[in-house]
Amino acid sequence: MDMKHLLRNLILLGCCSSVGIAKQVNQAVPNRAPLKENAFNPLPLGAVRPLGWLLQQEQIQANGLTGHLDEFWNDVGPNSGWLGGTGESWERGPYYLDGLLPLAYQLNDPKLIAKAKKWVEWSLESQRPDGQFGPAKNDDWWPRMVMLKVLTQYAEATDDSRVLPFMRKYFAFEKRELPDRPLRDWGRYRWQDNVYAVLWLYNRTGDADLLPLAKLLHDQGYDWEKQFDNFAYTGKQTSEKLGLDKKGPIPDVAMQTHGVNNAMALKVAPIWWLLSGSESDRSALARQLTMLDRYHGLPNGMFSGDEHLAGRDPSQGIELCAVVETMFSYEQDFAILGDSQLGDRLERAAYNALPGTLSNDMWSHQYDQQPNQIACTRAHRQWSTNGPDSNLFGLEPNFGCCTANLHQGWPKFVSSLWMATPDGGLVVPAYAPSEVRTEVKGGPVTIREETEYPFRGDVRFTVQVGSETEFPLVLRIPEWAGVATVQVNGQSMLPSDVTGSQTGFYTLRRNWKNGDVVTVALPMEPRSVRSFHNSAVFERGPLVFSLPLDAKWDALKHYTAQSADWQLTSSVPWNYAVALKGCGPQVKEESVTATPFDVEHPAVTLQVEARQLPEWKMVENSAGTVPASPVSSNAPSQTLQLVPYGAAKLRITAFPYLNESASCSK
Ligand SMILES: [Zn+2]
């Protein structure tokens, strides 16, 4: 090693200790036999950190609701049952921690770490001699499933030696107790989240008692695979259909069509396949996604659920909890199955549905977002079962679950930007500015990913290794890109330079030297795709584009100086039909600012030609059902500027298209 490299490594090590997690090795833990092998293994919390705009996004989050919610929202305040108080003792504390804790450690923010640690300490201390933990007044299995996910992340970030024995003791308790006190309601439909933590522990301890517990949870849990093998819920659900208009416990059909339950259940089959090894379990996710796409798919990367499955009309909504849980499911699914398209799906939800339902400062959020969203007001809408507050931006519009659960979205996405390959390499499941710091063949490897993705298609990786090390670097090639241009140290890679390629991936197997640079160019041609009623949706790369409506924000109620409920209204026309022939969308790239999903400074825009369509009107306070295309209009042609969906808080995303060639004025 020459002096320059030595110096660089010293700087690297200095940097490592200054970012501060008291942990030396950031290595993945592979599955232990007899579990099936993952395609890729997640890296522990802290191995991946955000850079660039994504780091700024996490800082905004830390300065917004996530960093301050406990200071004024009682459900996660000091009287929470999860802090030993007499207050909320169900899922809200654990939900909040499931996002606060990874955010705290990724930012290495001492104040946030101290906040998160309080809850972790109380939970660990709360364990009884028989193994049970958590608020004594609520013995529901479900909120504990969430707190266990928190503890797995905490253990990864800190190596705190108390966590593994704590979990063993709890799972022994659960295994003894479940036959007499089986899973019920939410826990019965979300059992896979419990199995997730059981397998996490099994891979670290090899404790033979854990696999029978996983099987017991499976046997007591709802059979999601069967639901999608014979899918009956093909239309919009209503209170009457679901029996929610009657008093009593929530009927099973309502649990089975519940948006968030369905989002969490997107990881059921892959997780269960790890144990069963059955081909039909392995392939079940594809069937599940096909049904959700076909009957409930929305153009923002989600399916509808407001609060129940609601069909494909882009004026239907999807709950924020379902967005972050869908992302978490795709992250697990990608790791287990190694299907490149699951990375495409993850990016689509993360780069559209997630920012689209949060205010720029992350002080307010919606319960339900609509792809075609012309007003966010307290009013009756065509939801399946939700209330009149559901699309307001606020503290807890409609119901407070999303207020507690939204925090995991960005941090878990960051954790999943890099994973380990079973043959000692690294894979890029989703592109974003980030840095991974791990160990390959006993030596430190750091890769810095610099990019303005998803607003640009160029990505630059700089490799830092202690000494020359051979390992594969696997790049996901999104389906929309078709083909990528890859260079190593300025030299174009031909297909013959690539070994071990498989569909949707590009593998660079090399002897990596310090300072090696890989550049990837993903072509981002704008495109229009067909959606509900043959409508047109414009996309570029992983971004979906929308017509932003000039939104006026009016506070309905203030909780603190920063936290308020807002209604959004607009007086500009929204009922346009677009021209698909002629000029086509013109792309304009603008600079990527600290808040790239800000409608005032969109990082990229598309111009399309359009005419107003007078017969498309507001119905039940939403854009009426998008007219079936093609349509005709005599209104004058205009140029519309579309912005990323996430930037347009009032928007039209799915347009009817005109039965004509555009009168292209360019
Ligand atoms: Zn929610």
Side-chain angles (χ1 to χ4, degrees):
M1 185 185 290
D2 63 25
M3 278 310 287
K4 206 170 99 195
H5 285 163
L6 184 65
L7 195 63
R8 188 177 286 161
N9 281 325
L10 286 172
I11 291 166
L12 202 66
L13 289 169
C15 161
C16 198
S17 56
S18 74
V19 289
I21 288 174
K23 230 170 73 81
Q24 297 305 308
V25 183
N26 272 322
Q27 273 183 304
V29 175
N31 292 343
R32 191 186 279 261
L35 298 183
K36 295 300 248 184
E37 253 191 51
N38 270 16
F40 305 116
N41 292 311
L43 291 165
L45 172 61
V48 186
R49 287 168 193 280
L51 297 175
W53 74 261
L54 189 54
L55 173 60
Q56 285 162 336
Q57 189 62 47
E58 284 209 341
Q59 283 162 346
I60 290 169
Q61 183 174 350
N63 293 328
L65 274 183
T66 310
H68 298 284
L69 190 61
D70 58 327
E71 294 159 15
F72 67 96
W73 195 52
N74 281 342
D75 283 0
V76 298
N79 196 35
S80 163
W82 287 94
L83 291 169
T86 56
E88 209 275 346
S89 298
W90 195 46
E91 66 182 10
R92 293 197 177 169
Y95 264 165
Y96 178 45
L97 265 287
D98 202 20
L100 171 67
L101 185 131
L103 182 76
Y105 282 99
Q106 283 167 359
L107 291 176
N108 194 33
D109 181 325
K111 202 172 137 226
L112 293 190
I113 290 174
K115 281 193 180 205
K117 275 274 280 195
K118 247 185 354 199
W119 300 76
V120 169
E121 287 301 325
W122 186 86
S123 292
L124 293 175
E125 291 299 316
S126 73
Q127 190 160 46
R128 303 187 315 213
D130 66 358
Q132 172 69 308
F133 77 103
K137 73 174 184 189
N138 189 340
D139 68 359
D140 189 359
W141 299 110
W142 160 242
R144 291 169 172 83
M145 297 181 193
V146 184
M147 193 48 96
L148 288 163
K149 284 191 296 174
V150 175
L151 292 173
T152 63
Q153 297 177 83
Y154 168 72
E156 289 175 1
T158 64
D159 285 340
D160 189 322
S161 61
R162 292 173 298 171
V163 178
L164 267 51
F166 170 94
M167 286 175 70
R168 284 179 99 152
K169 199 167 164 187
Y170 174 70
F171 287 140
F173 164 81
E174 189 174 34
K175 186 159 165 267
R176 286 195 310 273
E177 187 97 345
L178 273 176
D180 297 328
R181 191 163 65 81
L183 296 179
R184 59 178 172 84
D185 48 62
W186 301 103
R188 188 174 155 243
Y189 287 89
R190 299 172 174 182
W191 59 272
Q192 71 285 339
D193 285 58
N194 202 148
V195 172
Y196 169 85
V198 170
L199 298 189
W200 182 94
L201 184 65
Y202 175 73
N203 288 332
R204 282 155 183 83
T205 64
D207 184 345
D209 283 345
L210 290 170
L211 299 186
L213 169 61
K215 182 159 188 320
L216 186 56
L217 289 161
H218 167 267
D219 293 349
Q220 289 191 1
Y222 177 61
D223 189 346
W224 284 100
E225 287 187 39
K226 199 165 144 204
Q227 167 159 328
F228 286 94
D229 284 345
N230 203 341
F231 192 53
Y233 304 125
T234 56
K236 177 170 153 182
Q237 306 300 305
T238 61
S239 291
E240 301 76 59
K241 263 195 207 173
L242 299 172
L244 288 169
D245 48 350
K246 299 177 194 78
K247 282 204 171 120
I250 305 177
D252 281 344
V253 283
M255 299 297 266
Q256 290 155 13
T257 57
H258 187 266
V260 184
N261 284 352
N262 273 275
M264 292 172 171
L266 285 173
K267 59 184 174 299
V268 158
I271 286 181
W272 186 243
W273 171 77
L274 293 174
L275 278 126
S276 77
S278 135
E279 263 318 300
S280 112
D281 290 328
R282 191 179 164 91
S283 58
L285 174 63
R287 296 193 291 279
Q288 202 169 349
L289 289 171
T290 300
M291 290 297 120
L292 287 176
D293 286 349
R294 182 177 301 163
Y295 297 109
H296 303 287
L298 294 178
N300 56 0
M302 289 297 306
F303 54 88
S304 64
D306 58 15
E307 151 122 15
H308 297 90
L309 298 176
R312 296 186 62 215
D313 187 326
S315 287
Q316 294 301 142
I318 181 64
E319 182 186 337
L320 174 47
C321 281
V323 176
V324 295
E325 293 294 349
T326 292
M327 287 172 57
F328 181 63
S329 289
Y330 286 156
E331 289 155 8
Q332 306 317 308
D333 296 340
F334 179 91
I336 294 169
L337 301 177
D339 176 347
S340 166
Q341 288 182 7
L342 291 166
D344 295 13
R345 284 181 180 270
L346 170 60
E347 285 187 353
R348 201 175 163 84
Y351 290 143
N352 300 288
L354 181 63
T357 201
L358 299 167
S359 63
N360 291 342
D361 61 5
M362 289 191 79
W363 271 100
S364 67
H365 71 276
Q366 294 174 290
Y367 190 86
D368 286 330
Q369 64 179 300
Q370 302 158 284
N372 283 357
Q373 180 165 279
I374 61 169
C376 298
T377 50
R378 183 169 284 150
H380 164 79
R381 285 191 168 75
Q382 70 303 328
W383 313 124
S384 58
T385 57
N386 279 149
D389 280 4
S390 298
N391 77 355
L392 293 180
F393 278 78
L395 175 62
E396 48 179 338
N398 193 57
F399 193 67
C401 53
C402 307
T403 314
N405 196 12
L406 69 89
H407 314 276
Q408 65 169 311
W410 287 122
K412 288 194 184 166
F413 181 65
V414 167
S415 285
S416 301
L417 290 173
W418 291 85
M419 294 181 189
T421 65
D423 52 354
L426 288 164
V427 61
V428 183
Y431 293 95
S434 61
E435 184 173 86
V436 60
R437 197 178 288 269
T438 182
E439 203 170 89
V440 169
K441 293 182 178 164
V445 171
T446 298
I447 303 182
R448 195 174 170 86
E449 177 179 358
E450 289 162 301
T451 180
E452 290 182 323
Y453 193 94
F455 310 101
R456 305 286 189 275
D458 299 317
V459 189
R460 178 189 168 93
F461 300 94
T462 308
V463 179
Q464 304 279 2
V465 284
S467 56
E468 281 190 27
T469 313
E470 204 225 314
F471 64 89
L473 174 62
V474 183
L475 305 167
R476 174 186 132 259
I477 307 302
E479 198 176 21
W480 48 258
V483 66
T485 310
V486 180
Q487 295 191 331
V488 179
N489 299 329
Q491 206 170 19
S492 289
M493 294 289 105
L494 299 170
S496 55
D497 294 324
V498 179
T499 54
S501 308
Q502 56 184 112
T503 314
F505 293 100
Y506 196 100
T507 301
L508 288 162
R509 192 179 294 274
R510 289 174 60 87
N511 203 10
W512 296 99
K513 298 182 186 62
N514 218 7
D516 278 347
V517 172
V518 177
T519 57
V520 182
L522 299 165
M524 284 191 168
E525 290 306 314
R527 58 192 185 271
S528 79
V529 300
R530 293 294 84 79
S531 192
F532 182 69
H533 277 185
N534 208 25
S535 56
V537 174
F538 295 95
E539 303 177 352
R540 179 187 186 245
L543 293 177
V544 176
F545 284 75
S546 306
L547 173 68
L549 311 176
D550 191 20
K552 185 163 162 279
W553 291 63
D554 291 306
L556 296 174
K557 179 181 178 180
H558 267 280
Y559 300 92
T560 69
Q562 292 96 345
S563 172
D565 290 340
W566 303 88
Q567 70 169 17
L568 278 62
T569 53
S570 167
S571 50
V572 300
W574 54 265
N575 51 348
Y576 290 97
V578 294
L580 291 181
K581 296 167 191 162
C583 287
Q586 307 287 309
V587 181
K588 238 197 215 165
E589 292 187 338
E590 312 285 351
S591 58
V592 179
T593 67
T595 47
F597 291 104
D598 180 359
V599 73
E600 301 294 327
H601 305 283
V604 57
T605 63
L606 299 184
Q607 335 297 317
V608 297
E609 299 296 312
R611 297 174 193 273
Q612 262 195 276
L613 191 65
E615 65 264 36
W616 190 16
K617 293 193 164 74
M618 184 164 89
V619 176
E620 291 184 273
N621 298 300
S622 295
T625 295
V626 56
S629 292
V631 296
S632 51
S633 167
N634 296 322
S637 182
Q638 301 176 46
T639 304
L640 303 181
Q641 177 171 280
L642 311 186
V643 303
Y645 176 100
K649 310 304 178 194
L650 291 183
R651 63 192 161 235
I652 294 294
T653 307
F655 298 88
Y657 68 84
L658 294 163
N659 185 19
E660 59 173 58
S661 299
S663 52
C664 185
S665 52
K666 305 278 158 359

